């Protein structure tokens, strides 16, 4: 069994864990990253900061920063209430600049959310948008003539549906269904395969040829999110040139190519920045070392590596990520067995209607933390001085209803890393 | 609009559709009205057990004997809806010794075949049984697909000239002395009012029969008992497994295709509307059921659901379980009505017999002498009724090997062709098409994703086909998801909770469907 030593270990390779690792690398902290399948693969690619608050009023915020100020006032335990706006802004600046360098540029209006079309035809209010989707935001604002394209055999994406749902909001939408070039014989096509196909220039030429005759008077052309993987920005620009209209992507139901892009961007960059990643691995056991350090057993099913680490950031997610687990009676935290704030009884976990605007109480359960983002034990004190938590595992937030998923991930990751490095700056000992 | 008919049947459960078919086979035309959709009541929310009768031998020997006779008939005439699994009655340590000892005798009293087995022998062919079982009897239980049964009865009746009006609710009766002259109906989707002038009216509204009879000024003494059930993600046993004790909660496990159904509870409620399974019920039946099959403690449950049993003549004040399970046929002569009949209560197992008795009465009033033929006339299987059976769609799909026929529901492997055929048959009958209607006629939304993925795919497909327009798609999807939720909510822990989180991330986190 191999042994490693490190300053910091980040547990979790979702948006939170990736962001925390990035921020740690930016500070020059020696970091190990470990985690397996996360929500990032399902994510739409949008980075929400804050969309809705209070959720039961369905109040949408045009300016997310004002929304956050309101959240701070109304929900003092919300993770956003434990950090300054400047920290959140710095976190976003660093994350977006990283993504740009990694070939995945995002755009935003600093003080405003923008609206983008989804594959259901709903309009999603979000903060940062992949560059490849940006033209769609402008097209929607201008209500410009626009052609929506979908593909024969791509299930769950109907251009006709989007146009029909939006017919009042955006009457200038036309649709066309085409066969994806050289896949005409295939009855089913999949987003990832189409995206990989379009990484090749000669395939883009063929696709543009098929689409061009349909463009007619349209200024914009919307497509499902399939415009390449590692070089999506270049792919989108190239297809726009070839078609002669501004092309944009529309996020699809999972499996989602923009999620895959995020994952690949982080995975490719980290080794270059000195991070030691253990992808597709789990923390199987945690032992407490004599000097307050942790020793982790890491592996697939059985222990393959031992890691001695001075500090840990838990970004282990909720049920889907595996950081929380529910049995018939209660919800537990899976790595350290930390107390989980939760309703007293399973009857109270969910409301009677799935789409109840108040949200389900189970989605606000999670870890309690102090202002340094250290999870608390039963007595209400930090469980360990050198253990931090960030992201969706935290209590008192409902990212799905408040539309703050990736934003919360990035912001809290930043804060946890900051708290970790401040801990190191403090003199050791009582 | 004013329609005329010989018989107006109220209620699209298996009693109503069975009656429509029985009458049609005797040459009597009917209109069946259903306020929601076929299988919206108890016929779509039961245990799917074709009772051998063993369960009622002590409490209600008459019903036991009826079940025994009818079970045999249905195995002949409705074989396509039945899986002849056989059944076991098992007792565990601590169960009433006297009940165990009396059981074989009580069975033979009602003419029910029964055979004692050695517990260890039983565990050899049903390894999921608890090692602590102390007695086992084998009986002739079977599992029955009530959805298919109901759809086939209606399809046959329609093929013979009867009409079905879905989403059509009885609102009032116009009474003229001893007759119901006109029935006022309302289409619940469009709000349109419809009048019918029937010669005879049959109230087959199940647990709502009391409410319907009250419109005619005819009181029925009825109370409501809710029963809840759980669906497991795999099939746990080959046979039906009953607990060998007086009927109680969580004591029957019925296999159905690729899953098993565990139930039930019995809870007195005030109204048959808006019922749903609760967390307490789910906890209770899981704990009770695991006395027979311990794996139930660890099994993943896909969904729960509830149905209402109408219990008739319950003044006695005994427990609801001991009220007779046999049916009630009221001729309402006492209430001063000559052309109104109520048929309610009973069992799925005895639906045919209930329909026969009702049709006999209606025919005698109409002066029709044609005899009942449903005892021997096989129930034809139809194009539309076949897709409710778990595993059917994938089997056909693999057999047909048509690459163009892409799968829209991946959990239950429901291909486009099945959706098309359901849509076409609904359209042929001038019916509205929506996700819920397709759901009642197929397995969509019934697999592990519980509609999160297939709901989106089928919505998109329906837009492509021009079946949906404008806002309909989102309204449809919201209704479909909220409809599935009722049954998912009480089983949300473990893997099901993970699935739910993904569903909510997609539908709320990304798409904002709640806004
Ligand atoms: C369908 C869907 C749509 C979304 N849409 C949006 C959107 O429109 N806008 C937006 O901003 N965000 C969106 N998101 C993204 C989402 O907001 C974030 O990904 C989410 O908040 C969770 O991030 P996380 O990193 O905290 O947790 P997760 O992504 O769940 O990651 C948890 C990580 O912890 C790891 N882990 C758990 N236990 C262990 C262990 N013992 N050892 C090692 N590793 C462990 C897991 O393997 C996983 O890598 C969407 C997500 C989904 C699923
Ligand atoms: C939990 C449970 C488990 C069961 N398990 C079994 C079993 O394993 N084996 C077995 O043999 N039996 C079982 N039964 C019994 C069986 O399900 C019923 O006997 C049978 O389904 C009754 O059918 P029905 O047509 O009489 O009533 P229903 O199926 O309830 O049909 C009545 C219909 O009338 C409609 N209606 C109501 N009011 C109006 C109106 N005003 N206008 C128009 N339509 C109206 C309703 O929407 C409904 O669809 C079970 C019952 C329950 C509740």
């Amino acid at each position: 069994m191999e042994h490693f030593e490190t300053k910091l270990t980040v547990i979790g390779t979702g948006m939170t864990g990736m962001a925390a690792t990035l921020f740690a690398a930016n500070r020059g902290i020696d970091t190990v990253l470990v985690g397996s399948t996360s929500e990032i693969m399902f994510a739409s690619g949008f980075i929400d900061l804050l969309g809705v608050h209070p959720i039961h009023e369905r109040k949408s915020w045009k300016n997310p920063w004002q929304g956050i100020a309101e959240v701070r006032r109304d929900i003092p335990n919300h993770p956003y209430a434990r950090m300054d706006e400047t920290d959140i802004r710095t976190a976003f600046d660093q994350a977006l600049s990283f993504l740009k360098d990694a070939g995945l540029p995002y755009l935003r209006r600093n003080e405003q959310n923008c609206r983008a079309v989804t594959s259901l035809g709903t309009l999603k209010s979000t903060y940062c948008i992949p560059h490849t989707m940006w033209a769609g935001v402008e097209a929607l604002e201008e209500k410009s003539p626009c052609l929506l394209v979908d593909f024969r055999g791509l299930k769950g994406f109907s251009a006709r549906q989007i146009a029909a749902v939006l017919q009042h909001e955006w009457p200038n939408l036309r649709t066309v269904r085409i066969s994806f070039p050289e896949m005409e014989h295939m009855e089913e096509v999949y987003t990832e395969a189409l995206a990989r196909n379009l990484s090749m220039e000669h395939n883009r030429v063929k696709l543009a040829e098929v689409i061009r005759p349909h463009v007619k008077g349209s200024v914009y052309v919307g497509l499902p999110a399939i415009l390449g993987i590692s070089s999506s920005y270049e792919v989108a620009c190239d297809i726009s040139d070839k078609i002669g209209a501004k092309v944009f992507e529309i996020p699809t139901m999972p499996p989602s190519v923009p999620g895959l892009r995020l994952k690949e961007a982080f995975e490719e960059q980290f080794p270059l920045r000195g991070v030691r990643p253990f992808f597709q691995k789990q923390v199987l056991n945690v032992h407490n070392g004599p000097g307050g350090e942790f020793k982790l057993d890491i592996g697939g099913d059985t222990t393959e590596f031992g890691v001695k680490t001075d500090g840990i950031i838990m970004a282990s997610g909720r049920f889907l990520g595996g950081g929380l687990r529910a049995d018939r009676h209660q919800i537990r935290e899976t790595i350290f067995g930390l107390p989980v704030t939760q309703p007293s009884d399973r009857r109270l976990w969910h409301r009677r209607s799935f789409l109840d605007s108040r949200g389900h109480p189970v989605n606000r359960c999670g870890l309690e933390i102090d202002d340094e983002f250290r999870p608390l034990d039963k007595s209400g004190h930090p469980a360990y001085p050198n253990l931090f938590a960030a992201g969706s595992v935290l209590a008192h937030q409902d990212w799905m209803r408040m539309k703050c998923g990736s934003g919360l991930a990035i912001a809290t990751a930043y804060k946890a890393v900051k708290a970790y490095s401040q801990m190191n700056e403090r003199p050791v000992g009582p | 609009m004013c329609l005329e008919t010989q018989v107006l049947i109220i209620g699209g459960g298996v009693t109503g559709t069975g009656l429509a078919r029985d009458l049609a086979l005797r040459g009597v035309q009917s209109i069946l009205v259903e306020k929601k959709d076929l299988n919206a009541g108890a016929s779509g929310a039961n245990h799917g057990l074709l009772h051998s009768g063993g369960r009622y031998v002590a409490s209600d020997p008459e019903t036991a004997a009826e079940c025994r006779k009818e079970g045999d008939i249905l195995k002949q005439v409705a074989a396509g809806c039945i899986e002849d699994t056989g059944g076991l009655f098992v007792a565990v340590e601590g169960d009433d010794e006297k009940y165990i000892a009396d059981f074989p005798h009580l069975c033979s009293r009602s003419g029910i075949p029964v055979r004692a087995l050695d517990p260890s022998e039983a565990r050899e062919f049903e390894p999921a049984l608890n090692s602590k079982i102390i007695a086992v009897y084998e009986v002739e239980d079977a599992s029955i697909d009530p959805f298919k049964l109901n759809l086939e009865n209606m399809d046959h009746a329609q093929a013979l000239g009867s009409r079905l009006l879905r989403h059509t609710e009885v609102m009032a009766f116009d009474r003229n002395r001893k007759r119901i002259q006109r029935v006022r109906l309302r289409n619940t989707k469009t709000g349109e009012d419809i009048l019918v002038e029937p010669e005879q009216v049959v109230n087959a509204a199940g647990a709502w029969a009391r409410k319907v009879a009250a419109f005619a000024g005819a009181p029925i003494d009825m109370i409501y008992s809710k029963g809840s059930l759980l669906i497991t993600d795999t099939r746990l046993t080959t046979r039906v497994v009953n607990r060998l004790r007086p009927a109680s909660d969580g004591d029957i496990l019925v296999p159905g295709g690729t899953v098993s159904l565990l139930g039930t509870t019995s809870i007195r409620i005030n109204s048959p509307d808006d019922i749903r399974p609760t967390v307490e019920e789910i906890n209770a039946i899981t704990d009770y059921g695991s006395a027979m099959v311990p794996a139930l403690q660890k099994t993943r449950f896909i969904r729960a659901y509830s149905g209402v049993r109408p219990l008739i003549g319950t003044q006695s004040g005994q427990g609801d379980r001991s009220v007779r399970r046999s049916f009630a046929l009221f001729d309402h002569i006492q209430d001063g009505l000559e052309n109104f009949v109520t048929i309610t209560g009973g069992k799925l197992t005895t639906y045919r017999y209930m329909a026969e008795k009702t049709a006999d009465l209606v025919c005698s009033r109409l002066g029709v002498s044609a005899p009942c033929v449903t005892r021997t006339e096989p129930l034809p299987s139809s194009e539309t009724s076949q897709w409710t059976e778990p595993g059917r769609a994938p089997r056909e799909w693999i057999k047909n090997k048509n690459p163009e026929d892409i799968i829209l529901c991946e959990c239950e492997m429901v291909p486009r062709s099945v959706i098309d055929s359901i849509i076409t048959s609904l359209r042929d009958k001038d019916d509205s098409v929506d996700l819920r209607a397709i759901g009642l006629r197929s397995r969509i939304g019934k697999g592990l994703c519980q509609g999160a993925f297939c709901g989106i795919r089928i919505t998109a497909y329906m837009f492509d086909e021009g079946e949906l327009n404008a806002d309909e798609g989102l309204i449809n999807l919201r209704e479909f998801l909220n409809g599935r939720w009722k049954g998912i909510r009480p089983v949300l822990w473990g893997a099901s909770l993970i699935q739910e989180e993904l569903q909510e991330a997609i539908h709320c986190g990304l798409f904002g469907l709640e806004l």
Side-chain angles (χ1 to χ4, degrees), chain A residues 11-17 34-40 42-44 46-48 124 126 254 281-283 315-318 320-323 334-335 390-393 399 404-407 409, chain B residues 502 505-506 509-510:
Chain A
I11 304 178
T13 50
M15 196 64 175
T16 312
V34 50
S36 51
T37 317
S38 73
E39 292 197 354
I40 212 170
F42 299 106
S44 59
F46 293 146
I47 300 181
D48 302 349
K124 160 112 185 173
T126 184
K281 298 280 184 256
Q282 294 271 331
V283 171
S316 45
R318 305 182 67 78
L320 196 53
T334 54
I335 303 174
S392 62
V393 71
W399 71 264
C404 64
S406 301
Chain B
L502 176 59
I506 297 172
L510 170 57

Side-chain angles (χ1 to χ4, degrees), chain B residues 214-256:
Chain B
F215 290 153
I220 292 180
D221 173 20
M222 177 189 287
I223 53 159
Y224 311 109
S225 163
K226 176 178 77 158
S228 294
L229 296 116
L230 271 169
I231 310 176
T232 62
D233 72 336
T234 51
R235 180 168 172 154
L236 298 173
T237 60
T238 318
R239 292 163 188 73
V240 175
V241 180
N242 304 265
R243 183 82 170 266
L244 181 50
R245 64 172 182 193
S248 175
D249 285 356
D251 55 5
I252 308 183
L253 185 68
V254 181

Side-chain angles (χ1 to χ4, degrees), chain B residues 76 115 147 178 188 190 229 237 250 262 264 266 283 309 376 387 393 448 459 465:
Chain B
Q76 296 300 320
R115 188 166 74 96
F147 292 92
K178 296 194 163 181
T188 55
T190 62
L229 296 116
T237 60
L262 175 67
T264 66
S266 174
N283 286 347
R309 310 177 184 95
T376 49
W387 306 117
L448 288 180
T459 302
E465 297 295 299

